[in-house]
Amino acid sequence: MQSPIMGRSCIDVKETARKHSAIVPELLALHALTGCDSVAATYGIGKTKAIAVVRKGYTLDQLGKPLANIVEVTEQAAAFMGACYGITTPTSSMTKIRQKLWAQKTGKSTAAPKLCSLPTTTEAFEQNVRRAHHQVAHWYSALSGDPPTLAAVEHGWEADDTNKCLIPRNMEDGVSYAPEHILKLVRCGCTSERACRGGKFGCMGRQLPCTMFCTCSGGTACSNQFNITESATDHADIPDDSDEANDRAMDVDDEDDE
């Protein structure tokens, strides 16, 4: 194969195939799993890295076989992708691999790592594997004229009846994108000297306390009335007509006058 552009090198296709014959059986599977037209790619994991993992002995020989158990296919794919991320400990959980990488990255730096640099969760990964499995099965049967009887809607796709097309499924129905308490966590970005005094936006607007993740850090400069502070707990039993309570009321009045 020769490029029409001057100065480009010629590639001997037969010699290239002979030289890399050991990894040829894995090429279609690794190409699909690491990203193709119908399967989402993974940030930071390209074809070169995937080929290096294959050369280390990892395999994807179950991916694309119509009769293969999808659980075993997913476990094999998880081990392969874990190796792409440098995690060689055997595990079928991408969530555990994600946690290990998070711990490694935060242990080396005080800055939080980019979320895109972490692998997907187990639930999302399973759908991606199903799409790759479906795609590779059709590639393998491309020359036979007898496509596999794998339903797309059972392999990571949903039918869009309105637009007459298939759309990728992120996760199975009923699976939360994050734990409920995480979904309720709000981070505000108040930066004024008397942060969180307004009640329409951020944590105040949702009647939630500010936390260490907020710009104000939920510290003494934060005016969020929903914050739980030690001082509020300490004064909880002070009668309204006490001298200390009256002094606090006068302080509040002075702040309002200012």
Side-chain angles (χ1 to χ4, degrees):
M1 185 168 63
Q2 185 173 0
S3 171
I5 301 175
M6 295 296 294
R8 295 288 181 87
S9 60
C10 295
I11 300 174
D12 188 332
V13 177
K14 178 180 271 188
E15 178 60 22
T16 300
R18 186 198 63 77
K19 181 179 179 180
H20 302 287
S21 58
I23 66 171
V24 167
E26 309 287 342
L27 289 181
L28 288 178
L30 75 83
H31 174 56
L33 188 63
T34 55
C36 64
D37 289 346
S38 57
V39 182
T42 304
Y43 180 88
I45 306 298
K47 311 303 179 186
T48 301
K49 185 173 291 185
I51 289 176
V53 169
V54 168
R55 293 191 185 282
K56 292 180 181 179
Y58 289 87
T59 183
L60 291 170
D61 58 0
Q62 295 299 307
L63 196 69
K65 290 185 176 181
L67 299 180
N69 185 303
I70 193 62
V71 174
E72 295 177 357
V73 172
T74 304
E75 290 177 350
Q76 187 182 66
F80 183 89
M81 290 303 294
C84 289
Y85 281 101
I87 304 297
T88 57
T89 305
T91 179
S92 59
S93 172
M94 289 302 293
T95 298
K96 290 183 178 180
I97 294 174
R98 182 182 176 93
Q99 292 170 341
K100 288 181 180 180
L101 282 174
W102 175 271
Q104 289 179 3
K105 291 178 181 292
T106 53
K108 296 178 181 178
S109 172
T110 56
K114 293 181 178 180
L115 291 180
C116 62
S117 67
L118 301 174
T120 61
T121 60
T122 297
E123 292 79 6
F125 181 71
E126 287 175 354
Q127 298 303 312
N128 220 35
V129 171
R130 285 177 178 271
R131 285 188 288 273
H133 184 59
H134 184 264
Q135 180 62 75
V136 176
H138 280 78
W139 282 342
Y140 283 157
S141 64
L143 300 179
S144 68
D146 185 20
T149 56
L150 297 177
V153 293
E154 296 177 2
H155 291 83
W157 296 95
E158 294 178 356
D160 184 345
D161 296 329
T162 302
N163 297 305
K164 305 298 181 182
C165 66
L166 295 171
I167 57 176
R169 180 187 295 115
N170 293 326
M171 288 187 290
E172 288 287 354
D173 294 338
V175 177
S176 299
Y177 281 82
E180 189 65 23
H181 63 280
I182 296 295
L183 294 175
K184 291 182 177 179
L185 183 63
V186 177
R187 176 187 180 277
C188 66
C190 303
T191 57
S192 62
E193 292 183 1
R194 300 185 65 183
C196 306
R197 195 173 185 186
K200 295 183 179 180
F201 308 103
C203 301
M204 278 280 285
R206 293 165 177 79
Q207 299 184 0
L208 294 173
C210 290
T211 68
M212 67 177 72
F213 300 107
C214 299
T215 304
C216 65
S217 301
T220 55
C222 177
S223 302
N224 187 342
Q225 64 182 0
F226 298 102
N227 287 351
I228 302 174
T229 62
E230 293 182 1
S231 58
T233 304
D234 294 340
H235 296 306
D237 298 328
I238 299 176
D240 291 341
D241 58 351
S242 66
D243 292 337
E244 190 169 352
N246 291 332
D247 291 340
R248 293 204 311 275
M250 290 176 66
D251 292 339
V252 172
D253 291 337
D254 292 339
E255 291 178 1
D256 291 338
D257 291 340
E258 292 176 3

